[in-house]
Amino acid sequence: QVQLVESGGGVVQSGGSLRLSCAASGSVTGISAMGWYRQAPGKERELVAVATDSGTTNYAESVKGRFTISRDNAKNAVYLQMNNLKPEDTSVYYCNAFKYNWGNALNYWGNGTLVTVSS
């Protein structure tokens, strides 16, 4: 099992910045990707950004140029720097870790951290 703990959410005005952090513990060996998803009320969970262990990153179109994902493999941590936040970024943000174990694809999730952007 992998445990993920997020921190850094809060309330910010439109145009402001926040930095989310996520620390992984437990069976962290073999984690190939870590990323961030978000889910707004009444909507499905969506990918925000993901970073692989080789350094490849991928972003949702809606956050490109504003958000930056980074990983610290030594600390088993992933971060999301969010700049120029907009009210539509308001969501619960979930940290995700992905690994293969004996051919099975495993996804682990944190409990989420709320980001509220006021206009």
Side-chain angles (χ1 to χ4, degrees):
Q1 290 291 329
V2 175
Q3 293 79 43
L4 301 171
V5 178
E6 304 108 332
S7 61
V11 180
V12 64
Q13 288 189 333
S14 182
S17 298
L18 282 175
R19 185 174 187 254
L20 305 183
S21 300
C22 173
S25 62
S27 301
V28 296
T29 300
I31 291 178
S32 58
M34 295 186 73
W36 294 92
Y37 289 70
R38 67 186 181 187
Q39 187 168 18
K43 294 188 177 181
E44 293 188 354
R45 191 171 297 189
E46 63 176 1
L47 172 70
V48 177
V50 63
T52 69
D53 54 357
S54 62
T56 302
T57 59
N58 191 32
Y59 294 91
E61 284 295 326
S62 60
V63 307
K64 281 183 179 178
R66 300 188 298 123
F67 292 9
T68 302
I69 189 170
S70 59
R71 278 182 70 172
D72 185 333
N73 292 328
K75 295 183 178 180
N76 298 307
V78 65
Y79 309 96
L80 187 67
Q81 178 66 43
M82 305 185 293
N83 298 327
N84 190 20
L85 282 159
K86 304 176 181 181
E88 52 263 42
D89 294 317
T90 295
S91 282
V92 177
Y93 284 72
Y94 296 92
C95 180
N96 169 268
F98 175 84
K99 64 188 292 187
Y100 282 104
N101 188 18
W102 293 101
N104 296 313
L106 301 175
N107 277 291
Y108 299 94
W109 298 94
N111 290 328
T113 184
L114 178 62
V115 171
T116 302
V117 184
S118 61
S119 57

